[in-house]
Structures are given as structure tokens and as C-alpha cells.
Amino acid sequence: MLKLHHLFPVIAAKVVCTFSLFGQQANADQHYVYSSRSVQTTKMNLSIGPSLTMLPQPLTEYPTPAPMIDLRWRVATPFDVNLFGRLGSNIATSIIKAGGLYSRDIGMFSVGIGYSIAYVYGNITFIDGFNTSQRRWIGYPTVNLTTNLDGLTITARGELEMITAIDQFIETQKVKTSADQISGGALTIVAEQPFWNNTHVLLGVCLAYSSNPYQSWFIYNTFRERLFSTELFLGFIL
């Protein structure tokens, strides 16, 4: 007959393995860019990689790809505050984005709220026949949810898109100015995980619903309706 004291070492080993696995996941999680889980010491994480946005119809005659190279970053602090941002460009359109997120761990989840600001500069004067450029500022109230699923870190981030200023130029002449409009929102879902040896990757999709997506700044939306656009992105975490 199997005694209870014989089972105890087996149960203890299972518990230790379970907590060891969770610890490994948590340590890996602290290395990530979109995760909002708490950390013991201040950490800065970077990722670099491509993104591809499909500009929506009827803004374009057919779905048009807009590729970009992105540097994304996060500074995590032991005070439940994360600083995060992005720098991306494809020459015609450039964006720099920075913000803060306050988050708390609740069981296997991390829940956060925050705000970020983006500056977008578009310029296609280097293309023959075009002489237009644009500058815009955008605010993004943000909610964030992160969890771990068997070594895979999943983050869902919802953002409201508020355009605080747009200045449009033909050569050096300002031809359009607008401000303070809620143009839409976006849901971003990101998976982060180990890839090979000490290399980690993130893979994400951003589903945007906007009347004025920044990637199509040079196309005028005559219908003023909100349209769906999709952005896919991949990053190698440095």
C-alpha cells in the first residue's frame, strides 16, 4: 500500500517544477516590450523589425501595402510604471510615439491604463509631381492586458485615437489646419516568446478603425467615414 509520506516527495517535486516554470516565464516576460508585468529592477527592452499596413478601400483603389521599419521600446520600473514608445519610418511617413502605463499584476494577468502621444511627419516632395507634406499630433488613451499561456506572453492593448493637431502644407504654404477630433481607435494583439537560444521575438497585429489613419495622410478621405485598416508587425527583441 502506498503511504502518504511516500507521495510527499513526488508532490513537492511537482510544486517546485511548477513554480520553477512560472519563474522562468516571469523572467522571460520581464525581457519583453509589450508585456506590462511587474519587475524587480528597472529594465529597458528594445525590438526592431518590419511592419506592414494595408491601406483601406475606398481611400485607395485597391488594398495598398505601406511597409515600415520600426524600433519599439519599453522601460519597466519596479513602481508599476512602464514607459513605452515607437520610432518608425518608410521615408514618406515617420512616426515617433512615447507614453506611460500604470499596471498591476492580478493573478496570471497584468492590467494597466495609460496615455501616449505621437508625432507624425509625412513628406512626399521627393516624388516627381508631388509637393505636399503634413505634421500631426495624436493622443492615445490606453488600456492594456497581459497574460502568460504556457511560455507564450500575450498582450492586448486598446487605444482611442485623438488627433490634437494637423497642419498640411503645399511646398511651404500651409493649406489646412485642424485640431481636437476623435478619429477612431485600435486594438493591438501581440505575442512574445523565445525564438532561438537567447533570441526572443514579438509578432503582432493592429486592427485600426479610423477616419484619418496616419499612414494614408496624403490621401483625402472625402467620405469622412471610419474605415478598417490592418497592420502586421514582427520584432526581434534586443
Side-chain angles (χ1 to χ4, degrees), residues 29 35-39 74 82 105 107-110 146-148:
D29 191 63
S35 169
S36 60
R37 282 197 170 274
S38 61
V39 297
R74 174 182 75 135
N82 293 271
D105 293 349
M108 64 182 294
F109 296 97
S110 175
T146 294
T147 190
N148 292 103

Side-chain angles (χ1 to χ4, degrees), residues 56-216:
Q57 295 174 288
L59 287 184
T60 57
E61 190 173 337
Y62 47 85
T64 303
M68 187 173 281
I69 295 295
D70 284 302
L71 178 68
R72 301 170 193 263
W73 56 272
R74 174 182 75 135
V75 177
T77 74
F79 310 107
D80 298 323
V81 175
N82 293 271
L83 307 177
F84 61 92
R86 172 191 179 193
L87 175 63
S89 182
N90 61 7
I91 301 179
T93 305
S94 299
I95 179 172
I96 181 169
K97 182 178 181 180
L101 186 78
Y102 176 78
S103 63
R104 296 297 300 269
D105 293 349
I106 304 175
M108 64 182 294
F109 296 97
S110 175
V111 181
I113 58 172
Y115 189 85
S116 63
I117 298 173
Y119 172 73
V120 181
Y121 176 67
N123 189 325
I124 53 174
T125 58
F126 59 89
I127 301 176
D128 289 341
F130 292 91
N131 58 356
T132 184
S133 62
Q134 186 188 97
R135 303 167 189 167
R136 70 169 65 182
W137 290 92
I138 311 172
Y140 295 98
T142 303
V143 293
N144 196 90
L145 178 67
T146 294
T147 190
N148 292 103
L149 298 174
D150 194 24
L152 181 68
T153 299
I154 303 291
T155 298
R157 180 172 294 175
E159 296 175 307
L160 185 66
E161 181 184 81
M162 302 189 306
I163 298 177
T164 56
I166 293 181
D167 293 321
Q168 188 95 22
F169 297 85
I170 299 295
E171 294 182 347
T172 58
Q173 181 69 36
K174 185 184 293 187
V175 295
K176 174 187 173 184
T177 298
S178 60
D180 300 328
Q181 56 175 300
I182 297 176
S183 53
L187 173 65
T188 301
I189 300 175
V190 182
E192 298 174 279
Q193 66 175 23
F195 178 61
W196 181 72
N197 286 344
N198 293 323
T199 303
H200 294 69
V201 297
L202 64 84
L203 181 64
V205 58
C206 177
L207 306 174
Y209 184 59
S210 174
S211 62
N212 202 337
Y214 74 86
Q215 300 94 332
S216 59

